[in-house]
Amino acid sequence: MQLVGFERDMLKGGMSETVQGLRGIGWLAMLGLVNLMSACTIARPVELPATANLAADEPVYVALSDAVYKKDLFSRVRFWRQTFSVVNTLEDQAGFLAFSARIELLGNRASTMTVWRDRASMRTFAYGDGLHREVVAQDTTLLDSVFYGGEFKANELPSWETALELLREEGRHYYE
């Protein structure tokens, strides 16, 4: 494989003429692009599975969380390893209906939305003797965590825009 431009020059231990030539507005544009990318998120709307067999106006309980974790590589890896281990247990939880996540691509924030048949099912999962409670109790990666829970009609689940607004306006900080 033949390396070109920036890759070749960086491997030689020097900076390319292109990189050296980025001055003034070029650096500002690059910083702007990095800043813009750090605000980019990926999210998937939450959808109830057909197997839920719920009437459109049937109440369900929606739990929202928003976590800000430390930016260092070790903390990121640990946060995501813990998060995936908990997410992988959701399907086995009584009353669980659906999951969605919203993740900053280059940032240090992640949000989750889970849908449950009722509040009691969510509380058993979150505060019972399972993995979620253990992970939260032992976590050292979080800087802040906000939680919101509320009842919604099965056919009127919140969008991510609404979910983030609920977290900002009515959310409870875990560390308060």
Side-chain angles (χ1 to χ4, degrees):
M1 177 172 118
Q2 183 176 354
L3 298 175
V4 294
F6 181 74
E7 295 168 326
R8 180 186 62 237
D9 294 332
M10 291 306 289
L11 285 176
K12 287 181 183 175
M15 293 179 66
S16 72
E17 290 177 16
T18 304
V19 172
Q20 290 174 2
L22 289 174
R23 302 211 193 288
I25 193 72
W27 279 110
L28 288 175
M30 189 180 302
L31 288 173
L33 180 61
V34 168
N35 187 43
L36 178 64
M37 288 178 65
S38 70
C40 290
T41 60
I42 55 172
R44 184 178 72 88
V46 69
E47 297 176 2
L48 292 174
T51 57
N53 296 322
L54 296 169
D57 62 347
E58 191 169 340
V60 294
Y61 191 80
V62 176
L64 307 171
S65 70
D66 186 58
V68 177
Y69 52 89
K70 296 174 185 174
K71 291 184 178 184
D72 64 276
L73 182 61
F74 175 79
S75 293
R76 285 176 188 264
V77 169
R78 183 179 171 123
F79 174 82
W80 287 111
R81 188 177 68 236
Q82 292 172 334
T83 299
F84 289 132
S85 68
V86 171
V87 168
N88 287 334
T89 70
L90 285 171
E91 293 288 333
D92 300 328
Q93 304 302 314
F96 171 76
L97 296 171
F99 169 81
S100 179
R102 181 180 183 278
I103 302 164
E104 286 184 352
L105 293 177
L106 300 177
N108 64 326
R109 178 180 299 268
S111 306
T112 63
M113 183 183 313
T114 52
V115 183
W116 303 84
R117 289 205 177 270
D118 52 44
R119 183 174 187 258
S121 297
M122 183 282 302
R123 289 186 62 79
T124 299
F125 165 73
Y127 305 111
D129 291 332
L131 182 62
H132 180 272
R133 182 177 177 180
E134 179 184 324
V135 165
V136 170
Q138 295 176 3
D139 183 74
T140 59
T141 65
L142 291 180
L143 297 173
D144 191 22
S145 183
V146 181
F147 174 80
Y148 169 86
E151 199 170 275
F152 292 82
K153 291 181 180 178
N155 67 340
E156 296 178 2
L157 299 176
S159 65
W160 271 111
E161 182 179 341
T162 300
L164 295 174
E165 186 176 314
L166 287 167
L167 284 161
R168 268 191 311 275
E169 295 177 6
E170 300 180 41
R172 180 177 48 90
H173 286 263
Y174 181 76
Y175 295 107
E176 285 183 347

